[in-house]
Amino acid sequence: MSLFARSVSILWALMLFWLSRNNAVAATTVNQLHILVTNSLYGNLNLTVSCNNIDPAHHFLRPVTYHEWIYSGDISRSKPQFLCSFQWQGASHSFNMYDPISELDCKKCHWYIKQDGPCRWYFVSTYRCAKWN
Ligand SMILES: *[C@@H]1O[C@H](CO)[C@@H](O)[C@H](O)[C@H]1NC(C)=O
């Protein structure tokens, strides 16, 4: 086998290992994960955020204010710690702010909550918005 083919095989094996590990294992462990949520709703609305799987509190966020959680431990795939509800005048949505696969790029995930969905920077350079669940 050429060196190139061997490198590709090794990469492929690593990728398969990584994929199966992420899909098969029920929980991922994180260390000092920061989850931040900023009220970026237009129209001066207040936002209430609650993530019942991690914290029973309802966080009341005035316009442009934020809340931060710092979490170490397991992220369960069946009962995600950062599956949260977002409520403001006339609206109620839920969203998972930390999925171990889609949030693989962030140790500090900063979500900006807007009417159309939650947004964040991916790999520092790409700003993307998700749809509400
Ligand atoms: C947001 O909350 C503050 C403090 O409770 C309140 O004074 C204000 O009227 C609220 N704004 C809206 C748009 O509901």
Side-chain angles (χ1 to χ4, degrees), residues 43-47 60-63 89:
N44 239 26
L45 293 168
N46 297 309
L47 172 69
F60 182 80
L61 301 180
R62 289 174 188 238
Q89 209 168 56

Side-chain angles (χ1 to χ4, degrees), residues 92-122:
S92 175
H93 297 284
S94 73
F95 183 71
N96 182 4
M97 293 195 283
Y98 192 82
D99 175 272
I101 294 174
S102 32
E103 271 65 66
L104 202 60
D105 65 307
C106 64
K107 275 284 282 172
K108 195 163 180 172
C109 294
H110 193 160
W111 291 98
Y112 296 88
I113 305 304
K114 304 193 170 175
Q115 266 88 347
D116 291 342
C119 307
R120 74 171 180 88
W121 289 92
Y122 288 78

Side-chain angles (χ1 to χ4, degrees), residues 2 4 7 14 16 21 34 51 64 66 73-74 77 79 84 87 96 99 106 110 112 114 116 126:
S2 74
F4 175 74
S7 310
L14 278 174
L16 281 178
R21 192 170 156 266
H34 294 240
C51 310
V64 213
Y66 72 93
D74 286 348
R77 309 212 66 202
K79 201 181 172 203
C84 305
Q87 290 173 298
N96 182 4
D99 175 272
C106 64
H110 193 160
Y112 296 88
K114 304 193 170 175
D116 291 342
T126 314

Side-chain angles (χ1 to χ4, degrees), residues 2-60:
S2 74
L3 186 60
F4 175 74
R6 196 181 313 159
S7 310
V8 169
S9 311
I10 290 170
L11 266 180
W12 184 237
L14 278 174
M15 208 166 85
L16 281 178
F17 170 75
W18 178 80
L19 282 173
S20 61
R21 192 170 156 266
N22 274 294
N23 287 320
V25 174
T28 300
T29 305
V30 294
N31 185 31
Q32 295 270 313
L33 170 70
H34 294 240
I35 301 287
L36 291 91
V37 53
T38 291
N39 176 359
S40 297
L41 297 168
Y42 53 81
N44 239 26
L45 293 168
N46 297 309
L47 172 69
T48 302
V49 183
S50 47
C51 310
N52 294 329
N53 291 345
I54 197 175
D55 158 17
H58 290 242
H59 300 280
F60 182 80

